[in-house]
Amino acid sequence: MNISGNWPVGRGQNYAAQKARTTNNAEPYVSKKGNAMKTYIIYEKTDDMLYSGGNGTGLSYYIKYAPDSTEEDPTVIAKGVDENGNAFEQTIHINKINPNYATLVEMRALEAHLGVDKNGGLSSLPPDTGEMGLYDRRNFMDMFQKQIRDMMTLKQRHLVSYYQYSMQMYAEFIDKNFWHKLF
């Protein structure tokens, strides 16, 4: 199911998805805050999807294993719309993802493939990803370190532990792929 419409700026997809699920009709909720309107497209997750979602920029997509994906070369297809509403499709080879220089879509694919625990939330990734566009690349390991420091400052021990766990999952992936490429 693909739901599209104009959604209030600042409320993002979660609000749009919740509104769509709580109304009896498929008509999107429209609200105008001045002239600021943003269009969001939401892909409802199906059984064959690894991930479906996006962020507050309007980037929205889903990820499925590619038909030619193998255990040695796990490959996914990501399809959706970028933050400007332009359709995109990407083929991502999981073993080629570098969390030290990755896009949000690549990291979501890696998160889903590795089965990283989302701690009852929507993501194992740091909150700063909410402003990333389709082609923006970040050092996610640095983002994790910053998030851990911030949570330590706020004395949020549970979140410190959670982000350390998440970071460790991605660090183990980096180590495994580094040694795998050498031999």
Side-chain angles (χ1 to χ4, degrees):
M1 182 173 174
N2 179 352
I3 303 170
S4 63
N6 293 320
W7 305 98
V9 171
R11 289 246 173 121
Q13 292 174 259
N14 294 336
Y15 178 79
Q18 178 183 3
K19 185 67 179 174
R21 281 194 299 269
T22 58
T23 58
N24 291 332
N25 59 30
E27 292 297 315
Y29 172 76
V30 178
S31 175
K32 208 169 194 178
K33 194 174 192 179
N35 289 331
M37 298 295 286
K38 182 115 176 134
T39 299
Y40 289 91
I41 296 175
I42 299 163
Y43 300 95
E44 186 175 58
K45 192 168 189 256
T46 60
D47 291 340
D48 62 339
M49 290 181 187
L50 294 169
Y51 175 83
S52 175
N55 65 16
T57 67
L59 175 61
S60 182
Y61 55 96
Y62 63 90
I63 299 171
K64 295 181 179 187
Y65 279 112
D68 59 346
S69 180
T70 64
E71 197 170 312
E72 298 79 35
D73 182 22
T75 307
V76 298
I77 305 284
K79 289 184 183 181
V81 293
D82 68 10
E83 60 277 11
N84 299 310
N86 300 316
F88 76 88
E89 180 175 333
Q90 295 179 346
T91 299
I92 301 168
H93 295 267
I94 298 292
N95 292 335
K96 293 183 179 179
I97 297 172
N98 178 359
N100 291 304
Y101 186 69
T103 67
L104 177 58
V105 176
E106 289 171 337
M107 287 301 290
R108 290 281 184 227
L110 183 57
E111 174 187 61
H113 176 74
L114 294 176
V116 179
D117 182 5
K118 296 181 183 178
N119 198 28
L122 299 174
S123 175
S124 69
L125 303 176
D128 291 348
T129 62
E131 299 302 317
M132 291 179 70
L134 177 62
Y135 298 107
D136 295 338
R137 290 190 173 273
R138 299 281 191 282
N139 184 328
F140 281 81
M141 302 311 277
D142 284 351
M143 291 172 71
F144 276 113
Q145 290 173 354
K146 179 188 178 301
Q147 190 65 27
I148 290 166
R149 284 190 308 272
D150 290 351
M151 293 301 103
M152 286 176 145
T153 300
L154 296 172
K155 298 186 183 342
Q156 296 293 316
R157 289 184 191 98
H158 175 72
L159 290 173
V160 168
S161 295
Y162 176 68
Y163 284 114
Q164 286 172 332
Y165 151 79
S166 296
M167 184 175 167
Q168 182 63 34
M169 293 289 290
Y170 298 113
E172 288 173 7
F173 171 81
I174 292 169
D175 290 346
K176 176 185 156 227
N177 279 343
F178 174 77
W179 290 109
H180 181 71
K181 290 175 186 174
L182 289 179
F183 298 104

